[in-house]
Amino acid sequence: MTAIRWAVNLPLPGRALRDHREVIEALPGLGYADVWTGEGGGIDAFTPLAAAAAWQPGLGVGTGVVPVFTRGPVVLAQTAAALSELASERVMLGLGTSVPAHVTALNDIPFAKPVARLRDTVRFLKSALHGHPVDEEYETFTVRGYRPPPPAAVPPKLILGALRPGMVRLGLTEGDGIITNVLAAGDLEQVLAEAGPPPPGKEVVVKLFVCPTEDAAHARRTGRAFLGWILNQAPYRAFHDWLGHGDGLTESRALYDSGDGPAAGLALPDDIVDALWIHGSLDECRRQIARFVQPGVTSVLLFVAPTPELHKGRHALPDVLSRLRPGNE
């Protein structure tokens, strides 16, 4: 099995971005190889990675993921090229379709032909990030007369946010790999089985949501606040129907469709929350995380949620990160 690269998602809980430097500098010593960011609500994806690349050159950086609708293709290429100049280690440009709630509701951009837009963006970036001029009409956009800067010695890898088989296949054929999330360990087995053995050199990144606390009420409350929203977005509804979980989500879906988002979260069964929002003691969380170390997986990315223990200083963040990673027992 390929050695797993361990990664954490920025921003880290309980810290302003400007206060991340000490922890980021320590990450390689804690067994972490990469830092990643997401983008939708909250802060942007690239600013934290630029800071991390400056603070700790020993870390790779990745976006998991940036929507292809909210930045033009050339702006994406320019931003990725700049990040590649700053980062000493690898750059993983994670791209995704996102959801209408981010693309249209927040940015007033039509959510049209999402899979085609993602495919076209990958094809454009494969040329641009390798230094090839682009003057081409794609199905979903046109680029005329783009002259990219000289390529990085190692151009960014293009990783696609993927849930169901079609997107997984796109990421493993036209892209350099996939990043998947909001799934249980058994679900991951199904996704990987459908994909088949990844071609050599392809990345399979699994993003996990971890709330390391023994206060189960707190963990489930914060988990429901997130899961009640994301599980009711169209791509995740289709994903969990395909996984066979749709029956357990019926009540939540009805409440969400009626306009009662908070109730939709409260209606989620405990077993679904517990599977998708890892919680418990540090040792229990580590054991659950270890179940995702499966054949084909190349990276495990931890999104660490705020906990009472971190807030009250009973846990130190570097110690939490160290103890969550299997192999640091």
Side-chain angles (χ1 to χ4, degrees):
M1 183 184 299
T2 303
I4 296 288
R5 292 179 71 99
W6 292 91
V8 294
N9 192 86
L10 305 180
L12 295 165
R15 295 184 182 229
L17 187 58
R18 62 180 172 273
D19 298 327
H20 275 50
R21 180 170 186 162
E22 182 179 359
V23 176
I24 287 175
E25 288 179 336
L27 286 175
L30 302 176
Y32 290 88
D34 305 304
V35 290
W36 291 68
T37 52
E39 188 169 86
I43 60 177
D44 82 291
F46 290 103
T47 303
L49 298 183
W55 291 335
Q56 177 48 277
L59 290 171
V61 295
T63 60
V65 296
V66 171
V68 293
F69 285 102
T70 52
R71 284 185 177 86
V74 168
V75 172
L76 273 172
Q78 292 170 325
T79 307
L83 188 59
S84 295
E85 284 200 27
L86 285 173
S88 300
E89 293 295 319
R90 69 180 190 164
V91 175
M92 312 278 280
L93 182 58
L95 304 165
T97 61
S98 189
V99 295
H102 286 157
V103 174
T104 305
L106 296 184
N107 291 285
D108 197 25
I109 297 170
F111 191 77
K113 297 183 177 180
V115 176
R117 176 75 180 213
L118 181 58
R119 180 205 62 212
D120 291 348
T121 302
V122 169
R123 291 176 178 177
F124 163 74
L125 289 171
K126 285 171 73 173
S127 294
L129 293 175
H130 285 80
H132 304 305
V134 179
D135 192 293
E136 188 165 344
E137 182 175 340
Y138 300 87
E139 180 182 347
T140 58
F141 58 80
T142 299
V143 175
R144 293 299 182 203
Y146 179 55
R147 299 292 183 267
V154 180
K157 288 191 172 185
L158 303 177
I159 309 300
L160 275 59
L163 301 174
R164 289 184 292 160
M167 198 72 83
V168 171
R169 286 192 289 270
L170 182 64
L172 294 176
T173 53
E174 299 212 28
D176 296 306
I178 64 166
I179 177 170
T180 192
N181 70 348
V182 193
L183 76 177
D187 300 331
L188 177 60
E189 294 173 6
Q190 182 173 336
V191 170
L192 296 177
E194 180 69 30
K202 301 291 183 175
E203 303 285 341
V204 175
V205 183
V206 183
K207 183 177 182 179
L208 304 180
F209 298 90
V210 186
C211 189
T213 178
E214 295 183 63
D215 185 342
H218 168 87
R220 288 173 176 156
R221 184 169 58 251
T222 58
R224 284 187 164 93
F226 170 69
L227 295 170
W229 179 83
I230 197 166
L231 288 175
N232 280 297
Q233 302 307 302
Y236 288 90
R237 284 191 175 193
F239 181 42
H240 281 270
D241 282 342
W242 177 70
L243 291 171
H245 305 321
D247 288 347
L249 299 171
T250 301
E251 183 181 357
S252 176
R253 291 173 176 180
L255 289 164
Y256 189 88
D257 291 343
S258 74
D260 196 341
L266 293 174
L268 292 172
D270 282 353
D271 61 332
I272 290 179
V273 176
D274 294 347
L276 305 180
W277 189 260
I278 294 170
H279 62 90
S281 70
L282 291 170
D283 289 343
E284 289 168 341
C285 287
R286 185 178 62 250
R287 286 193 290 270
Q288 293 178 67
I289 291 167
R291 296 180 60 208
F292 290 84
V293 180
Q294 299 180 19
V297 173
T298 59
S299 295
V300 175
L301 165 61
L302 304 182
F303 177 105
V304 181
T307 67
E309 291 88 342
L310 285 168
H311 177 70
K312 295 176 181 178
R314 295 198 297 268
H315 286 165
L317 184 56
D319 182 56
V320 168
L321 295 174
S322 177
R323 292 177 62 187
L324 285 177
R325 190 181 74 81
N328 278 358
E329 295 89 333

